């Protein structure tokens, strides 16, 4: 498991530095302006699951599952701390 670093966007833009996902999962800080950019370089679709760490008003955690097609890129978020926080 790896702790992913936030790559801040500036007014001059951002050239993202992608890292391979760990088989056991990865972590990143939640935040109202934090997104997870996923680039699927594989030959099959994959499901990216973001754990919901804060229970809703019914007492349940709700993970977010996004299917990323083969060769596709997806931006997931914002990953609000009120839902996905530690």
């Amino acid at each position: 498991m790896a702790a992913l670093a936030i790559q801040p966007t500036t007014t001059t833009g951002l050239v993202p530095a992608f890292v391979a996902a760990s088989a056991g999962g990865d972590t990143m800080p939640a935040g109202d302006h934090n997104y997870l950019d996923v680039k699927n370089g594989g030959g099959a679709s994959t499901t990216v699951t973001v754990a919901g760490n804060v229970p809703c008003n019914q007492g349940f955690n709700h993970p977010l599952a996004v299917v990323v097609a083969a060769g596709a890129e997806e931006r997931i978020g914002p990953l609000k701390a009120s839902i996905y926080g530690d």
Side-chain angles (χ1 to χ4, degrees):
M1 183 177 291
L4 304 176
I6 298 295
Q7 299 175 37
T9 303
T10 66
T11 55
T12 58
L14 169 70
V15 177
F18 289 95
V19 295
S22 299
D26 296 302
T27 63
M28 65 172 277
D32 293 349
H33 302 286
N34 292 1
Y35 295 82
L36 179 61
D37 288 319
V38 178
K39 186 176 194 176
N40 182 359
S45 64
T46 189
T47 301
V48 175
T49 304
V50 179
N53 292 332
V54 178
C56 70
N57 60 2
Q58 300 295 313
F60 298 100
N61 292 344
H62 298 279
L64 171 64
V66 177
V67 176
V68 182
E73 294 184 33
E74 295 285 340
R75 173 168 276 193
I76 302 169
L79 300 173
K80 297 179 179 256
S82 61
I83 300 170
Y84 303 104
D86 297 333

